[in-house]
Amino acid sequence: MTGLLLLLWAGVTVGSVLDLQKRVIGGKPCDSKERLYHVQLRETKPADGFVCGGSLIGPQWVLTAAHCWEDSLYAVVGVHPGGSKEKRKVLNHHQFKDHDIMLLEIETPTNIHPVVQLPDCTQRPKVGVDEVQVAGHGATTTGPNKKRVMVESKTLQCANADVVDCAEVRKCTEKNFPDFWKSYKDQHWFCAQRKDVDISVGDSGGGVVVKNMIYGVISFLGDTIHACVVAFASMDVCHEDYLKWIKETIKPKKG
């Protein structure tokens, strides 16, 4: 795969690309008191196959990327160091139209606190001003010439990146992946980048967070071969369509 901008599909869509890497580049172990809400999404076939990340936004709700869905998917909560790593069956999955954002309703509420809060969109991170935090599992280094490598970490890695305009990402997507662009151009993106920092295939679905509020859901990266070249993109949780849908979906049912 030689072009830029590939969706972080988890499954047949990317095939061997899935095996490239499951990590945050240029990160460090998350603090013991942060990202307690981070969730690993795994599948039973193949046995305990690692698929994506996600974020608890409520005791029974995980916010993640829609392309992470697999029929045998299950959630692992308490994956932060010291956590109990409890498996949870996925009862229902909800996708916003054909966009890359999804909610999973899991069996049995968790006792993890705090969960990540929905964003304060009156104070949304500004391009060229603010930074965000991403997280995932895996090593914090790359191979020669920043080539992506197959290395996982047993600890949750955190990294900060700067909010950037998505214009370059959109331009590259339209040029190099026209079919992908057709289905993705009307979705709502939130982008970030920093020297020597990047996300990777298995980081899909993880939260893009500021002050314990989730502003993005990691969706796709810039370069599938080399890290730290192009900004990565997430779904913009502050977009009114997404935020309204999230609130309505997780609202307790009457009766």
Side-chain angles (χ1 to χ4, degrees), residues 12-236:
V12 178
T13 310
V14 294
S16 61
V17 176
L18 228 193
D19 299 322
L20 281 176
Q21 196 178 62
K22 300 178 177 71
R23 65 191 185 90
V24 170
I25 309 292
K28 62 181 181 179
C30 298
D31 184 87
S32 62
K33 295 182 180 179
E34 64 183 350
R35 292 278 180 166
L36 302 180
Y37 49 78
H38 190 84
V39 174
Q40 275 191 355
L41 300 178
R42 310 186 76 92
E43 56 182 335
T44 57
K45 299 178 182 180
D48 288 329
F50 178 45
V51 178
C52 283
S55 303
L56 286 166
I57 61 170
Q60 282 184 270
W61 290 100
V62 177
L63 182 60
T64 186
H67 74 258
C68 295
W69 176 249
E70 298 286 346
D71 288 339
S72 62
L73 198 70
Y74 66 91
V76 183
V77 300
V79 296
H80 195 285
S84 57
K85 294 186 178 181
E86 299 173 359
K87 293 183 180 180
R88 290 289 192 279
K89 179 181 178 181
V90 175
L91 299 177
N92 296 295
H93 70 286
H94 308 264
Q95 181 179 356
F96 180 83
K97 298 180 180 178
D98 294 321
H99 293 220
D100 194 26
I101 188 167
M102 175 172 67
L103 283 163
L104 301 177
E105 185 178 8
I106 59 175
E107 186 177 45
T108 313
T110 72
N111 294 318
I112 292 174
H113 182 80
V115 298
V116 70
Q117 301 299 308
L118 292 179
D120 176 1
C121 298
T122 65
Q123 300 291 327
R124 61 186 301 154
K126 296 181 176 61
V127 171
V129 176
D130 295 316
E131 68 175 22
V132 294
Q133 186 197 65
V134 294
H137 286 86
T140 60
T141 58
T142 59
N145 299 316
K146 296 184 179 179
K147 191 172 183 179
R148 300 183 185 276
V149 294
M150 289 181 59
V151 180
E152 274 191 55
S153 171
K154 294 181 180 179
T155 59
L156 185 63
Q157 302 287 313
C158 284
N160 293 334
D162 303 303
V163 181
V164 299
D165 192 280
C166 293
E168 181 185 7
V169 181
R170 290 183 178 277
K171 182 179 179 180
C172 290
T173 307
E174 184 176 14
K175 178 181 178 182
N176 296 307
F177 297 95
D179 291 338
F180 173 76
W181 170 254
K182 290 177 183 177
S183 63
Y184 236 64
K185 63 184 178 69
D186 294 324
Q187 299 192 38
H188 310 296
W189 305 358
F190 178 67
C191 300
Q193 186 176 23
R194 178 172 288 184
K195 186 178 185 298
D196 297 328
V197 172
D198 205 350
I199 50 92
S200 193
V201 174
D203 294 327
S204 280
V208 181
V209 174
V210 179
K211 296 180 180 178
N212 203 51
M213 291 183 285
I214 187 166
Y215 285 89
V217 174
I218 295 172
S219 180
F220 59 95
L221 47 77
D223 189 326
T224 61
I225 303 300
H226 299 93
C228 310
V229 177
V230 179
F232 56 87
S234 61
M235 294 293 99
D236 183 1

